[in-house]
Amino acid sequence: MNVELHNIQNFQVVPQECVSYIGKYVTSTQYQVDSERTIEECLVYLSTGCTLNKDGRDVWLFDIDDTLLSTVPYFKKHQFGGEQLNLTSLEEWMRLGKAPVLEYSLKLFNELKSIGVQIILVSSRREHLRSATIDNLVDVGYHGWTSLILRGPEDELDGVQKFKANVRKQLICDGYRIWGILGDQYSSFKGLPSVKRTFKLPNPLYCVA
């Protein structure tokens, strides 16, 4: 909780006294219920707060990891975030393309498609994971997105927050209206330009700045 509130700075690993609690939470019904509630709020907003032009310029942004796909199986083998993150190991797991779907996010994804909203995926995954990422997404039921934006070599020096803010800026300059963002990290939302609404899924496993 103190990490979420930014009372703990430079968060690297889950404290050992919290590992058991977090492991129980992310494998529990409560985690699913909390995620479902987030998606319900997205759907309420779509039905009551969005006046779509349906001209191909209405857009919704999604993060990927722990937003569309779950990394819980990976972190289950690494003390639920209690080990220092090994990016090489994580990317090797991502390359296998076996991350399971987050069912409630898929529900929102399909609802957006059905009403003509363009879907753009913006992930901190690096460009060399593109093929594996696409295969994984399609295998678990995601298809029909407008574009998939990953970090290229030119983005390596920027933090995730700046990278995603730059993507939003370019989309708005291109004439898109970003109605909402769904993500599990604050770095998906922070920075300018801001958008009409943002929705955060629970994720106590790690913090990406």
Side-chain angles (χ1 to χ4, degrees):
M1 180 175 290
N2 274 286
V3 171
E4 287 277 290
L5 295 172
H6 300 292
N7 294 331
I8 298 175
Q9 299 293 310
N10 302 315
F11 173 70
Q12 296 295 324
V13 297
V14 171
Q16 284 302 308
E17 63 266 29
C18 300
V19 167
S20 176
Y21 168 78
I22 288 177
K24 290 176 181 177
Y25 172 67
V26 297
T27 57
S28 72
T29 302
Q30 188 61 54
Y31 173 66
Q32 298 175 24
V33 168
D34 293 344
S35 299
E36 182 181 17
R37 179 59 186 269
T38 301
I39 301 307
E40 288 174 353
E41 292 301 323
C42 292
L43 294 171
V44 168
Y45 165 63
L46 274 175
S47 64
T48 62
C50 296
T51 306
L52 304 177
N53 286 25
K54 298 187 178 181
D55 57 358
R57 295 292 175 175
D58 298 313
V59 165
W60 191 283
L61 306 185
F62 284 91
D63 181 34
I64 292 178
D65 291 304
D66 297 298
T67 298
L68 298 180
L69 303 173
S70 174
T71 67
V72 170
Y74 174 83
F75 283 99
K76 184 177 181 179
K77 297 180 180 179
H78 296 274
Q79 295 188 49
F80 293 106
E83 290 182 10
Q84 184 72 39
L85 178 64
N86 183 319
L87 183 58
T88 300
S89 171
L90 177 60
E91 289 189 338
E92 287 174 354
W93 181 82
M94 290 175 172
R95 196 173 284 111
L96 297 174
K98 300 299 183 182
V101 67
L102 290 168
E103 293 286 354
Y104 300 118
S105 297
L106 180 58
K107 177 181 178 181
L108 173 62
F109 184 99
N110 287 331
E111 176 63 22
L112 287 162
K113 277 201 315 180
S114 73
I115 60 176
V117 176
Q118 305 299 306
I119 296 171
I120 297 180
L121 313 183
V122 186
S123 173
S124 60
R125 288 191 179 200
R126 296 192 288 179
E127 186 62 41
H128 66 85
L129 291 169
R130 177 172 293 274
S131 293
T133 300
I134 291 173
D135 289 346
N136 197 164
L137 288 166
V138 172
D139 285 348
V140 298
Y142 296 105
H143 56 86
W145 60 81
T146 301
S147 63
L148 167 62
I149 301 173
L150 305 178
R151 283 202 295 172
E154 69 279 6
D155 302 310
E156 289 295 323
L157 296 178
D158 291 335
V160 173
Q161 179 177 314
K162 183 177 180 182
F163 161 66
K164 293 195 173 185
N166 287 341
V167 170
R168 295 196 300 274
K169 181 178 180 180
Q170 186 60 56
L171 290 172
I172 291 171
C173 287
D174 291 342
Y176 289 104
R177 293 177 295 276
I178 304 174
W179 287 97
I181 303 175
L182 180 68
D184 67 293
Q185 300 288 321
Y186 287 113
S187 53
S188 291
F189 317 129
K190 285 189 170 182
L192 297 175
S194 57
V195 303
K196 297 179 185 299
R197 285 292 303 272
T198 60
F199 298 88
K200 186 181 182 300
L201 289 162
N203 182 3
L205 293 166
Y206 56 86
C207 182
V208 177

